[in-house]
Amino acid sequence: MTKQNNPLFDPKNRSAETSLVHGGIERSQFNETSEPIYMTSGYTYPESAYAEKLFKGEIVGHNYSRFSNPTVDVLQKRMALLEGAEDARALATGMAAVTCAVQSQVRAGDHIVASRALFGGCRFVVEDFMPRWGVSSTLVDGRDPENFLKAMRPNTKLIFIETPTNPTLELVDIEAVAKIAHAGGAKLIVDNVFATALYQSPLKLGADLVTYSATKHIDGQGRALGGLILGSKELITGDVHTFIRQTGPSISPFNAWVMLKGLETLPLRVRQMTENATRIADFLGDHPKVNRVIYPHHKSHPQYELAKRQMKAGSTLVAFEVKGGQEAAFKLADSLAVILISNNLGDAKSIITHPRTTTHQRLTEEVRLESGITPGMLRISVGLENADDLIADLGYGLDQI
Ligand SMILES: *Cc1c(COP(=O)(O)O)cnc(C)c1O
């Protein structure tokens, strides 16, 4: 057969764009073009002996959608192809993914080291929840890998990082931190939402597990919540699968299907959003009413060298600090006509956030300032609108200050 001899028959020989359109698909007897939605909680068996074998794991098949569903399977396979991971699990939300990834790897008496600049929910899990279950944690300034080394203890089982961080877009050197983790007998989890799988590959840099909020760039159109955990077959089918199976943070087959449709256009959208973000970073960087712009691939980024080495592109988020503090920041945001005031990110619609009064309101002013979240700081998640319109919108806003 010629088709089977074609090198492109093997998904490993396909580019990301191709895998994101076709990867993991299993057509039903109707040979539909689009991925079918198997909106079912359970499955039936032709006979009792078949069920017995299935539950023993002697035959492969689905037995309950809390941990196994054909539509969710396609999403997992497609995402694993993109990430270059051996296996993946999809979950109900990004926070479900982070919580499962962390909890599946630790037990009472263990210790976690994490970078202090984290998405609010992630920080809460590490800083507040974990100690309640007897797992202590230390938060460090993630910009210098030495800080992770200094925080390691004999019982450190996990390092958890996010890079670039929210909202100040600081970077953590994944390769250096992976080495520190492994030398100390710990595993490394990287929350890769901001960079996306297209621009940063933590597993190749030594991470053991990667997590995503699929709510962000993967859906990217503000429709559904979702999350993913990716890693080696051993970790995913072992601790991670067991944790999901027994605690149930599962994604609905319908939402998994929405994410699959999102994956088909992910490269197109993220590339355009990144191009827009680059132009906005350049515009803000040169503006007299802006103190500083923060964008990983902008020359002014304090970790520009690392950004170039670790990320293929600067991705879709831009942070900046306006002169005049919170009053000026509010005035700017309130006079925008296209960019929306919201706190989501990775969306087709551009969004502006004032972290101090929203996403990072819970932190004390001291902790906020330590992480660079000043009163005049704003974060933009750059969308798919025309870049000239976005720049004109921001220009108008800056003129109002
Ligand atoms: C949004 C986000 C999460 C949480 O994802 P949800 O889908 O909202 O639960 C975790 N980490 C990062 C970096 C995020 O941006």
Side-chain angles (χ1 to χ4, degrees), residues 119-198:
F119 179 81
C122 302
R123 183 161 173 151
F124 202 92
V125 167
V126 171
E127 195 178 25
D128 291 82
F129 278 139
M130 283 300 103
R132 292 189 208 176
W133 319 131
V135 178
S136 56
S137 57
T138 309
L139 296 177
V140 300
D141 181 341
R143 287 171 296 183
D144 183 358
E146 276 291 307
N147 295 334
F148 291 94
L149 188 61
K150 283 185 211 139
M152 294 291 284
R153 297 180 195 163
N155 60 338
T156 305
K157 289 288 157 59
L158 205 60
I159 296 185
F160 179 84
I161 61 170
E162 196 180 299
T163 177
T165 62
N166 179 34
T168 47
L169 310 178
E170 292 172 356
L171 305 188
V172 182
D173 187 332
I174 298 172
E175 200 169 8
V177 175
K179 283 192 184 124
I180 291 165
H182 297 155
K187 292 196 172 67
L188 174 65
I189 301 177
V190 179
D191 182 334
N192 205 31
V193 170
F194 275 42
T196 81
L198 296 165

Side-chain angles (χ1 to χ4, degrees), residues 93-96 98 119 122 162 166 191 193-194 213-216 225-226 345:
T93 66
M95 278 323 303
V98 168
F119 179 81
C122 302
E162 196 180 299
N166 179 34
D191 182 334
V193 170
F194 275 42
S213 164
T215 317
K216 311 298 166 56
L225 297 164
L345 61 100

Side-chain angles (χ1 to χ4, degrees), residues 47-68:
E47 52 192 12
S48 307
Y50 182 96
E52 184 185 15
K53 282 195 187 124
L54 189 70
F55 275 80
K56 273 189 184 160
E58 288 169 8
I59 48 175
V60 185
H62 300 285
N63 46 6
Y64 195 54
S65 286
R66 188 188 327 115
F67 46 90
S68 150

Side-chain angles (χ1 to χ4, degrees), residues 8 23 42 70 76 80 95-96 106 135 137 146 161 194 208 245 265 272 281 384 392:
L8 285 166
Q76 293 171 168
M95 278 323 303
V106 292
V135 178
S137 57
E146 276 291 307
I161 61 170
F194 275 42
D208 299 283
R245 178 179 175 134
T265 58
Q272 186 60 50
L384 282 176

